[in-house]
Amino acid sequence: MAGEKILVIDDETSMTQFLSVVLKKEGYQVVALNDPKEALERARTESFDVAITDFKMPGADGIEVLSGLKKCDPNLPVIVMTAYASQKSAIDAL
């Protein structure tokens, strides 16, 4: 699977840097962004094989990002990660 293009979205720079390093070591192309609105703009103009997004971010939460990504590409697999999990947030993501 190496070589696929992954969009990483998290407001914490340390997390986007960490994920970028790990994924690039595995051979993936990575676009890492800290601004969810910028990420959605990129998703409108570029094609990605998968997106990884944080759930809690200023400016847009993970559900808004998930919804925006799905509008750009309904078949795009999206992984939503969070340090603040709850049963409601998991149901909302589904």
Side-chain angles (χ1 to χ4, degrees):
M1 261 185 110
E4 282 84 358
K5 192 171 179 184
I6 300 175
L7 175 61
V8 176
I9 311 156
D10 196 307
D11 60 310
E12 294 183 32
T13 303
S14 60
M15 183 56 80
T16 53
Q17 288 175 343
F18 171 74
L19 289 172
S20 291
V21 168
V22 170
L23 293 168
K24 286 178 181 179
K25 275 183 143 182
E26 293 298 319
Y28 296 99
Q29 298 176 49
V30 179
V31 173
L33 300 168
N34 300 108
D35 180 347
K37 292 179 188 210
E38 182 183 353
L40 291 175
E41 283 299 317
R42 290 286 289 267
R44 287 185 192 97
T45 60
E46 292 180 45
S47 176
F48 294 95
D49 295 296
V50 68
I52 302 171
T53 184
D54 189 13
F55 185 76
K56 286 198 177 235
M57 295 179 285
D61 68 23
I63 300 303
E64 292 170 324
V65 173
L66 172 65
S67 176
L69 291 170
K70 289 297 188 174
K71 286 179 184 172
C72 295
D73 180 357
N75 297 313
L76 178 68
V78 179
I79 299 167
V80 179
M81 60 183 178
T82 184
Y84 306 98
S86 71
Q87 187 175 18
K88 181 179 178 347
S89 64
I91 291 168
D92 288 347
L94 290 173

